[in-house]
């Protein structure tokens, strides 16, 4: 006979009971931080140790990845009031607002403004804006600052200088207007070089470029009016925006397979010099450094369709941390975040992970290529800053529709009508 | 009922109590909660929510063509899996059933795809299907069929089928093992008798193998349907549901409603309806299988 | 030459040629399918020996400068030692739990009488068919929190045992249904109680079905990560997949190290499968043919 009943059941129960052990008990002053940034885990550990040495307070960083799992974890913990002292909120601003209104996020306005706004003034204006709710915001949140930006990112374009030279173009003169862009693309095509790549499989990337082009073509105000419902999507300006994508499809500007590419693949493509342009975020600097340190490239703004309006790109705080309103270590948490955004720490972060710091004073030590991104911060805006938001269903239909345009399945006019119909339906639902 | 009988009955129940306790705690209770949430407009975050009755259900059935399109897409992949994937698995099992050289080695090899993590599967197949540098296109050019090259995952005509191929490649290993097991349980004497009578392979299959394998076919087809309708991680790592809605499936729609639109209540409805549809299909299958066995 | 024997020879040759051709194509087909199965794992292995810069450029099947140290780096950087032990613990516990609990229940559904037997069986099985994973993860979390099981090993183990019950009960009940009753009856006559009959007679005979259940659940627990991310916080409790996350940054994926990590996690599963697969074939037979 095999092992006796008693043996196996005892083994099972022992295993089970030993599983009753939980994680370690911790010192009541330990500040716990939950994050999703696997790239920075090491750097965070270094900073935690540094903080321990300087202040004697232990900070515990806990990583949950990938970011989808992190977001789920945070939402679930909110339901049970088990959020840590410091955490980040991923997602749209309405989620952020919901967290605040539910009482999970501490209002940091006071701490930011003391001593003549010493803390607040360290940051780039755009970095703060994403974490701020202003007077009369559409979410009904009490105005104030609710988060601390750790870094800043922009989403714009980069181009490969070497490929430019190969095609007979001046590597220091990227296209500034849409016409120039099309002309350069023609030359690249003649030289057999694939042109434009982006992670269009992730529809938010399409959304970014589309809204950039739209705001440049018709001006920010008209775009907001459309979100409000005062201007229809069938307006000729919107059809023109969609036609730009059609043009990209017709002239085969987007690389083969770009429509369903995830961003990481797009980054690989550009890093391996298989595309002349990429539409990506400033984090790509770190990615490219690892994949192809010899890559010769430079940053550029998306080409202007309409020179009478400014070119807008998405930018602002990349990653931010919030303080748990219900935490007993609020003061300690705030103190730690202040320290994290001190110059010394910002420089460390920027150096280790090639990100743009969120504080103005730390710009000197970063890579020159990163500086090019930083320079374009003035053009930055961000959906989280818009005074009015489009409903997610309409946005999804719009972005997916652009995918259809890019594969030649829909015409700009048809999509505009479709989106407008959906928008009207959604508005009727809301008002009923 | 006398004491002895009662004690006996309690003893019997004790065998199933652990399972029932776990089931009620970790399956039934959460499911009940989800059902509760499906009649609200909860966004997944705030501690308050509003009762909206069957509004979510009505909307799902009357005004959500994308969800039903995603069901159709999943159905298409399932159809392919039921036919092509299982035929392949059956064929391989038949081949390995005979005392073929290296049979054991093949068993292990065919089980490799299911063991691989989604990351590797996604990376490899993205590379195979790549529009510019992909292996498939290279191969087609190599054998002179250039005109068929394309960006397989971005082309509206081929995207869903391309994803289906990945799923079938990853899944045939399970069917293979189960079919092989079923085949190996058929007494060899039946085959020998048939050969002595001069029957061809096809006749042998039709009259001996197939009838005995009916229960196995049913098991595999139930598992295939359940597993394939819930496909999603392959989709996320290759097309993200695109281009447009061509590769959207129910699970990706549920996730994007839950997270992208923060409509947790609505997403719960989608989950409940989807689950009930799968349950109905499985029940029908089991019923059909029982009827066929009585024939 | 005698005309009859010529024809005979031709016929024999024709048969031989046919057999050889069929055999050739059969083997060719099997080899082609096999290559497609091995290729990804081989590619992962080859990539694990390349560098981040060359991993997508160098298409060779085996790099000229294999970076064997990647395995050492992956192991230490990702705390694989710790996560490996954790995963081992979780896998053994969950698999033991599933086997014990589902076999007991299956035996009862098969051999014992009690009111509501059929209804309960159907209800338990039906959970296999409802994909409520995506939406029920939050209520599950809230429940675990109420039970004080968040960030505990028990909280991670119990839901997974529950997850394996439906298939386990289904498989084992159909298996038990087909066992000849004589053995059990004679044991009962000898005065053995239900439990002893179940333990000493039914269960050992069910070894093949148990092997099936084992490999299904081993793979599931070994690859699990979503529940871990939700229930566990302390690094010391995390399973293997957490280790792999270290290489998959929000922006940067360290491909060679990730591939090394993947190879490290896949090999044990394949090894266990190799050991169990002999039993598995017999196992699925019994469960399915009668199922």
């Amino acid at each position: 006979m095999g092992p006796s009943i008693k043996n196996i059941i005892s083994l099972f129960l022992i295993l089970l009971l030993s599983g009753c052990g939980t994680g370690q008990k911790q010192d009541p002053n330990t500040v716990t931080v939950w994050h999703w940034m696997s790239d920075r885990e090491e750097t965070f550990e270094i900073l935690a140790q540094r903080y321990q040495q300087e202040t004697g307070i232990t900070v515990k960083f806990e990583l949950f990845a990938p970011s989808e799992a992190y977001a789920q974890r945070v939402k679930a913990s909110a339901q049970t009031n088990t959020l840590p002292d410091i955490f980040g909120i991923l997602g749209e601003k309405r989620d952020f607002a919901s967290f605040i209104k539910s009482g999970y996020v501490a209002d940091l306005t006071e701490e930011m403004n003391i001593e003549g706004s010493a803390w607040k003034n360290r940051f780039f204006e755009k970095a703060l804006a994403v974490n701020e709710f202003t007077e009369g915001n559409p979410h009904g949140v009490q105005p104030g600052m609710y988060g601390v930006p750790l870094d800043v990112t922009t989403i714009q374009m980069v181009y490969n200088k070497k490929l430019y030279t190969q095609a007979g173009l001046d590597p220091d003169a990227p296209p500034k207007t849409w016409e120039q862009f099309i002309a350069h693309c023609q030359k690249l095509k003649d030289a057999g070089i694939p042109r434009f790549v982006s992670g269009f499989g992730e529809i938010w990337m399409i959304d970014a470029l589309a809204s950039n082009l739209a705001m440049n073509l018709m001006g920010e105000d008209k775009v907001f009016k459309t979100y409000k419902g005062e201007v229809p999507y069938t307006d000729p300006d919107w059809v023109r925006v969609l036609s730009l994508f059609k043009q990209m499809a017709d002239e085969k500007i987007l690389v083969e397979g770009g429509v369903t590419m995830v961003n990481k693949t797009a980054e690989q493509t550009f890093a391996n010099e298989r595309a002349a342009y990429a539409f990506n975020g400033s984090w790509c600097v770190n990615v490219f450094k690892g994949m192809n340190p010899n890559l010769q490239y430079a940053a550029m703004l998306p080409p202007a369709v309409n020179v009478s309006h400014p070119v807008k790109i998405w930018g602002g705080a990349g990653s931010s941390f919030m303080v748990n309103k219900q935490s007993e270590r609020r003061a300690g948490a705030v103190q730690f975040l202040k320290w994290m955004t001190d110059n010394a720490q910002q420089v460390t972060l920027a150096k280790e992970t090639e990100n743009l710091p969120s504080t103005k004073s730390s710009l000197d030590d970063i890579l020159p290529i990163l500086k090019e991104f930083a320079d374009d911060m003035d053009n930055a805006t961000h959906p989280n800053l818009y005074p009015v938001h489009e409903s997610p269903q309409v946005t999804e239909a719009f972005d997916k529709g652009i995918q259809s345009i890019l594969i030649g399945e829909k015409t700009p006019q048809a999509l505009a009508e479709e989106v407008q119909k959906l928008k009207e339906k959604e508005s009727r639902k809301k008002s009923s | 009922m006398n004491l002895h009988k009662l004690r006996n009955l309690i003893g019997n129940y004790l065998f199933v109590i652990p399972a029932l306790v776990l089931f009620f705690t970790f399956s039934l209770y959460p499911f009940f909660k989800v059902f509760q949430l499906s009649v609200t407009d909860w966004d997944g975050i705030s501690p308050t929510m509003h009762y909206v009755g069957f509004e979510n259900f009505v909307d799902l059935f009357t005004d959500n063509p994308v969800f039903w399109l995603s069901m159709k897409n999943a159905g298409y992949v399932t159809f392919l899996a039921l036919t092509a994937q299982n035929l392949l698995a059956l064929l391989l099992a038949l081949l390995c059933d005979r005392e073929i050289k290296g049979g054991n080695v093949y068993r292990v090899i065919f089980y490799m795809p299911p063991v691989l993590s989604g990351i590797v599967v996604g990376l490899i197949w993205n590379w195979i299907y790549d529009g510019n540098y992909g292996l498939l296109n290279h191969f087609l050019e190599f054998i002179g069929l250039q005109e068929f090259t394309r960006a397989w995952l971005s082309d509206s005509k081929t995207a869903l089928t391309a994803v289906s191929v990945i799923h079938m490649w990853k899944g045939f290993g399970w069917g293979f093992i189960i079919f092989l097991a079923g085949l190996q349980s058929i007494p060899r004497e039946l085959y020998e008798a048939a050969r002595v009578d001069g029957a061809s392979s096809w006749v042998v299959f039709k009259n001996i193998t197939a009838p005995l394998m009916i229960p196995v076919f049913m098991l595999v087809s139930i598992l295939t349907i359940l597993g394939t309708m819930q496909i999603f991680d392959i989709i996320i790592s290759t097309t993200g549901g695109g281009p447009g809605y061509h590769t959207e499936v129910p699970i990706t729609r549920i996730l994007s409603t839950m997270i992208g639109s923060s409509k947790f209540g609505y997403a719960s409805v989608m989950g409940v309806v989807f689950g009930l549809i799968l349950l109905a299909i499985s029940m029908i299958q089991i019923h059909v299988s029982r009827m066929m066995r009585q024939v | 030459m005698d005309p009859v024997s010529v024809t005979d020879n031709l016929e024999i040759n024709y048969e031989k040629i046919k057999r050889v051709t069929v055999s050739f194509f059969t083997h060719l087909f099997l080899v082609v399918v096999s290559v497609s199965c091995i290729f990804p794992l081989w590619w992962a292995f080859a990539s694990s020996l390349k560098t981040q810069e060359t991993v997508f450029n160098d298409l060779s099947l085996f790099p000229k400068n294999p970076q064997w140290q990647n395995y050492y780096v992956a192991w230490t950087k990702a705390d694989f030692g710790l996560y490996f032990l954790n995963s081992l613990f979780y896998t053994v516990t969950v698999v033991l739990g599933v086997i014990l609990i589902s076999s007991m229940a299956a035996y009862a559904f098969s051999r014992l009488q009690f009111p509501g037997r059929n209804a309960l069986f159907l209800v338990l099985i039906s959970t296999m068919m409802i994909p409520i994973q995506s939406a029920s993860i939050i209520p599950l979390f809230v429940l675990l929190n109420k039970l004080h099981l968040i960030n505990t090993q028990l909280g991670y183990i119990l839901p997974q045992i529950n997850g394996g019950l439906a298939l386990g009960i289904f498989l084992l009940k159909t298996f038990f249904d087909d066992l000849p009753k004589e053995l059990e009856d004679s044991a009962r006559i000898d005065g053995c109680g239900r439990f002893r009959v179940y333990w000493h007679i039914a269960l050992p005979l069910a070894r093949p079905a148990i092997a099936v259940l084992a490999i299904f659940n081993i793979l599931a627990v070994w690859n699990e990560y979503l529940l871990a991310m939700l229930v566990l916080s302390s690094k010391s409790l995390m399973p293997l997949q957490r280790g792999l996350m270290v290489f998959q940054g929000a922006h940067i994926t360290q491909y060679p190290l990730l591939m090394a990590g993947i190879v490290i996690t896949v090999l044990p599963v394949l090894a266990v499968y190799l050991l169990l697969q002999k039993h598995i074939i017999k196992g699925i037979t019994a469960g399915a043919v009668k199922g």
Side-chain angles (χ1 to χ4, degrees):
Chain A
M1 287 287 193
S4 74
I5 307 170
K6 286 204 184 120
N7 281 356
I8 298 239
I9 296 198
S10 327
L11 173 65
F12 177 58
L13 287 176
I14 287 177
L15 285 175
L16 216 52
L17 287 172
S18 67
C20 279
T22 74
Q24 324 75 334
K25 303 200 182 15
Q26 59 188 38
D27 150 34
N29 280 331
T30 304
V31 174
T32 312
V33 183
W34 282 4
H35 74 101
W36 64 96
M37 304 172 237
S38 349
D39 309 351
R40 291 183 176 161
E41 203 186 9
E42 268 176 29
T43 317
F44 282 156
E45 291 300 323
I46 294 175
L47 290 180
Q49 272 172 17
R50 199 190 284 175
Y51 193 66
Q52 163 101 40
Q53 280 162 8
E54 288 182 23
T55 63
I57 299 183
T58 317
V59 173
K60 205 165 64 153
F61 278 94
E62 286 174 348
L63 167 66
F64 299 94
S67 49
E68 295 81 21
Y70 177 86
Q72 289 262 47
R73 181 59 195 262
V74 166
K75 281 190 187 164
S77 295
Q79 295 310 304
T80 54
N81 262 324
T82 49
L83 285 168
D85 308 308
I86 297 177
F87 62 99
I89 296 174
L90 300 176
E92 317 271 321
K93 200 142 201 206
R94 62 157 188 277
D95 291 337
F96 193 8
S98 199
F99 269 94
I100 298 176
K101 288 195 281 194
S102 310
Y104 302 125
V105 181
D107 187 336
L108 299 172
T109 326
E110 235 186 81
E111 280 92 344
M112 283 265 169
N113 286 332
I114 56 174
E115 291 163 20
S117 299
W119 197 16
K120 188 170 180 184
N121 287 337
R122 282 192 222 167
F123 298 106
F124 287 109
E125 194 188 277
K126 297 271 163 73
L128 287 173
V130 171
N131 289 306
E132 186 176 11
F133 283 86
T134 53
E135 199 66 51
N137 64 79
H139 303 280
V141 171
Q142 184 156 8
M145 284 293 309
Y146 291 92
V148 179
L150 267 196
D151 61 47
V152 146
T153 57
T154 64
I155 299 177
Q156 50 188 105
M157 284 177 67
V158 287
Y159 69 102
N160 186 316
K161 286 186 166 180
K162 196 171 82 176
L163 291 178
Y164 246 53
T165 321
Q166 251 181 302
L169 293 161
D170 178 1
D172 293 312
K176 294 259 185 308
T177 68
W178 188 262
E179 287 76 34
Q180 285 174 0
F181 175 61
I182 299 291
H184 288 202
C185 283
Q186 184 59 46
K187 276 206 130 169
L188 288 161
K189 190 172 177 188
D190 293 336
I193 298 173
R195 272 97 32 222
F196 179 91
V197 71
S198 184
F200 278 174
E202 304 181 32
I203 60 175
W204 67 271
M205 282 242 104
I206 296 186
D207 203 52
L209 183 58
S211 65
N212 291 160
L213 294 172
M215 288 195 176
N216 170 247
L217 196 152
M218 63 183 88
E220 220 178 45
D221 289 327
K222 191 164 179 184
V223 173
F224 293 147
K225 284 214 180 98
T226 318
Y227 293 162
K228 267 200 216 132
E230 293 166 18
V231 171
Y233 277 99
T234 44
D235 186 290
D237 276 343
W238 280 105
V239 180
R240 221 172 293 150
V241 171
L242 295 174
S243 308
L244 295 174
F245 285 98
K246 179 160 191 318
Q247 192 176 18
M248 284 179 74
D250 291 338
E251 314 240 351
K252 297 210 193 295
I253 292 179
L254 182 65
V255 308
E256 285 273 357
V259 167
T260 48
M261 231 187 233
V262 296
N263 210 21
K264 284 200 172 159
T265 315
E267 286 163 359
Q268 274 168 43
T269 311
F270 187 79
N272 289 324
E273 312 211 68
R274 290 179 182 159
Y277 303 103
F279 179 72
N280 208 330
S282 49
W283 59 76
C284 68
V285 171
N286 206 7
V287 177
F288 297 155
K289 194 172 94 162
M291 287 200 166
N292 186 354
N294 301 322
L295 191 66
Q296 294 161 26
Y297 66 107
M300 60 178 260
L301 288 171
V305 194
N306 183 342
V307 289
S308 41
H309 291 298
V311 173
K312 288 283 186 185
I313 57 175
W314 281 12
S319 314
S320 307
F321 276 139
M322 290 81 192
V323 174
N324 183 357
K325 189 169 171 182
Q326 327 241 347
S327 154
E328 289 157 0
R329 286 163 289 276
R330 261 189 66 165
V334 172
Q335 200 195 11
F336 178 66
L337 285 178
K338 271 208 182 125
W339 179 85
M340 276 284 270
T341 48
D342 264 343
N343 197 36
Q345 277 65 253
Q346 284 283 297
V347 168
T348 308
L349 267 178
K351 271 216 170 87
E352 294 297 322
T353 52
E354 306 299 354
N355 280 307
L356 287 168
S358 55
T359 50
K360 299 183 232 190
S361 56
S362 326
L363 272 185
D364 301 314
D365 288 295
I366 63 178
L367 286 179
I369 176 73
L370 269 180
K371 284 221 180 83
E372 295 184 32
F373 284 92
D375 288 339
D376 292 327
M377 271 298 278
D378 291 328
N379 298 67
T381 178
H382 196 277
N384 284 0
L385 303 175
Y386 297 169
V388 65
H389 296 273
E390 183 56 273
S391 87
Q393 285 90 329
V394 175
T395 309
E396 188 191 61
F398 185 73
D399 299 335
K400 289 250 182 198
I402 290 182
Q403 279 185 336
S404 298
I405 291 180
L406 285 170
I407 59 174
E409 211 179 38
K410 285 203 180 116
T411 66
Q413 185 64 39
L415 179 64
E417 286 165 17
E418 221 179 84
V419 174
Q420 182 56 25
K421 252 204 280 205
L422 181 63
K423 173 132 184 117
E424 283 163 14
K425 197 182 75 174
E426 290 294 316
S427 323
R428 277 198 302 269
K429 269 192 205 165
K430 275 211 189 104
S431 54
S432 65
Chain B
M1 201 189 300
N2 61 34
L3 192 65
H4 179 74
K5 260 195 160 176
L6 187 65
R7 267 177 51 188
N8 203 32
L9 199 63
I10 292 178
N12 285 349
Y13 273 119
L14 277 178
F15 272 78
V16 296
I17 296 245
L20 285 179
V21 166
L22 280 177
F23 172 73
F24 273 91
T25 319
F26 296 110
S27 289
L28 215 58
Y29 176 77
F31 176 68
F32 176 67
K33 279 282 167 189
V34 169
F35 196 80
Q36 261 191 335
L37 289 171
S38 67
V39 291
T40 69
D41 65 352
W42 194 42
D43 67 352
I45 301 169
S46 41
T48 59
M49 59 188 86
H50 302 111
Y51 178 75
V52 295
F54 287 105
E55 200 180 277
N56 288 336
F57 282 94
V58 172
D59 189 282
L60 183 64
F61 279 98
T62 59
D63 212 11
N64 196 333
V66 174
F67 180 70
W68 299 105
L69 172 63
S70 75
M71 288 286 286
K72 198 177 86 166
N73 286 342
Y76 174 75
V77 183
T78 307
F79 173 73
L80 280 182
L82 280 175
T83 53
Q85 174 188 312
N86 287 340
L87 267 172
L88 173 68
L90 182 60
L91 184 59
L92 289 171
L94 284 169
L95 290 176
C96 288
D97 184 35
R98 317 175 187 179
E99 300 307 309
I100 209 163
K101 269 190 238 158
N104 275 325
V105 176
Y106 285 125
R107 275 192 217 169
V108 176
I109 292 180
F110 294 153
Y111 187 65
M112 278 188 190
V115 162
L116 283 178
S117 73
I119 308 162
V120 180
V121 173
L123 279 174
I124 286 281
W125 283 92
N126 269 326
W127 180 32
I128 293 178
Y129 282 135
D130 187 82
N132 294 318
Y133 308 94
L135 285 180
L136 183 57
N137 283 345
H138 267 139
F139 177 71
L140 287 172
E141 283 170 8
F142 182 69
I143 60 174
L145 288 174
Q146 288 96 308
E147 63 270 20
F148 286 110
T149 63
R150 67 192 62 219
W152 300 90
L153 291 170
S154 314
D155 188 321
S156 59
K157 291 195 260 311
T158 58
L160 193 58
T161 312
V163 168
S164 308
V165 169
I166 304 179
H167 177 81
M168 295 192 285
W169 172 84
K170 195 156 191 279
F172 85 86
W174 293 113
F176 167 73
I177 297 179
I178 299 179
F179 283 139
L180 187 60
L183 288 172
Q184 297 214 320
S185 75
I186 298 180
R188 303 285 122 171
E189 303 85 59
L190 290 176
Y191 287 139
E192 278 156 26
R195 293 241 182 269
V196 164
D197 287 347
S200 74
S201 300
W202 170 246
V203 169
V204 168
F205 181 76
K206 200 172 76 142
N207 293 341
I208 299 180
T209 320
L212 285 173
M213 288 284 282
I214 287 182
V216 183
F217 291 152
M218 277 303 145
L219 175 70
V220 171
S221 82
I222 289 184
L223 291 178
T224 304
I225 292 183
L226 288 178
T228 313
M229 284 301 285
Q230 299 182 51
I231 184 179
F232 90 99
D233 50 0
I234 291 181
I235 307 252
I236 292 195
S237 53
T238 52
T239 60
Y245 294 101
H246 285 282
T247 57
E248 288 276 354
V249 288
I251 303 279
T252 57
R253 294 315 305 163
I254 293 177
L255 285 174
S256 80
T257 308
M258 190 162 78
I259 299 171
S261 312
S262 292
K263 286 175 137 192
F264 201 95
Y266 195 84
S268 305
V269 170
M270 291 164 93
V272 170
V273 169
F274 184 48
L276 290 175
I277 293 179
L278 285 184
L279 186 58
I281 296 179
S282 307
M283 288 299 160
I284 294 176
Q285 278 215 290
I286 294 180
H287 195 66
V288 168
S289 148
R290 288 230 181 95
M291 277 182 2
M292 282 185 81
R293 276 201 289 155
Q294 275 144 20
V295 164
Chain C
M1 184 122 60
D2 178 359
V4 175
S5 55
V6 165
T7 348
D8 276 345
N9 276 340
L10 279 176
E11 265 188 34
I12 295 171
N13 283 344
Y14 174 65
E15 272 302 315
K16 232 184 163 184
I17 292 176
K18 199 172 97 169
R19 243 182 298 143
V20 168
T21 340
V22 167
S23 171
F24 172 71
F25 277 109
T26 306
H27 276 104
L28 184 65
F29 177 58
L30 286 170
V31 166
V32 165
V33 176
S34 302
V35 167
S36 82
C37 292
I38 302 181
F39 179 62
L41 191 57
W42 183 263
W43 179 83
F45 175 62
S47 301
S48 69
L49 297 173
K50 298 180 185 162
T51 63
Q52 177 80 341
E53 288 136 36
T54 59
V55 70
F56 287 110
N57 293 325
D58 180 359
L59 295 179
S60 57
L61 282 174
F62 195 84
K64 291 185 195 60
N65 284 332
Q67 310 280 318
W68 293 104
Q69 76 274 15
N70 281 344
Y71 280 90
Y72 178 71
V73 175
W75 184 272
T76 49
K77 215 169 167 207
D79 283 315
F80 262 128
L82 171 67
Y83 298 142
F84 212 90
L85 284 174
N86 285 343
S87 276
L88 207 59
F89 173 71
Y90 294 136
T91 307
V92 170
T93 323
V94 170
V95 171
L96 270 182
V98 171
I99 292 176
L100 275 172
I101 297 179
S102 59
S103 65
M104 281 209 315
Y107 186 73
F109 284 126
S110 174
R111 293 292 192 241
L112 304 177
Q113 297 296 333
F114 50 93
R117 188 179 80 159
N118 285 331
L120 277 178
F121 178 67
L122 280 174
V123 167
L124 272 167
I125 299 310
S126 65
T127 52
M128 205 164 53
M129 304 168 187
I130 304 194
I132 291 291
Q133 304 300 50
S134 346
S136 68
I137 207 113
I138 297 223
L140 180 66
F141 182 86
V142 173
L143 174 69
L144 286 171
N145 188 59
K146 280 206 192 116
L147 297 173
H148 298 285
L149 288 177
I150 294 293
N151 205 31
T152 63
Q153 288 152 318
L154 210 57
Y156 186 57
I157 291 171
L158 290 179
Q160 293 194 77
I161 294 182
N162 177 55
L165 287 181
L167 186 66
I169 294 179
F170 183 57
L171 222 54
L172 285 170
K173 172 177 182 291
T174 45
F175 192 90
F176 284 141
D177 279 344
D178 286 313
L179 285 183
K181 283 201 164 165
E182 297 86 52
L183 283 169
E184 295 164 62
D185 288 342
S186 50
R188 290 298 213 106
I189 292 174
D190 284 349
C192 275
R194 285 164 300 212
F195 192 80
R196 292 179 72 89
V197 176
Y198 150 75
W199 187 267
H200 289 289
I201 298 181
L203 213 50
L205 287 175
R207 221 168 263 149
I210 292 178
V212 179
L213 214 47
I215 196 67
F216 267 49
N217 284 290
I218 287 174
L219 193 60
V221 179
W222 199 254
N223 286 342
E224 209 290 321
Y225 85 91
L226 192 59
L227 191 67
M229 283 300 130
L230 219 63
V231 173
L232 304 171
S233 314
S234 311
K235 236 173 152 178
S236 57
L237 300 177
M238 289 285 185
L240 264 185
Q241 294 295 319
R242 165 66 173 81
L244 287 181
M245 284 307 158
V246 167
F247 304 120
Q248 281 180 278
H251 299 304
I252 301 223
T253 302
Q254 299 174 53
Y255 289 102
L257 294 176
L258 177 62
M259 291 300 138
I262 287 179
V263 170
I264 294 177
T265 49
V266 164
L267 288 179
V269 180
L270 280 178
V272 171
Y273 171 70
L274 216 101
L275 290 170
L276 289 178
Q277 54 100 11
K278 288 195 207 85
H279 294 290
I280 293 178
I281 299 298
K282 279 184 242 153
I284 305 188
T285 308
V289 174
K290 283 71 178 195

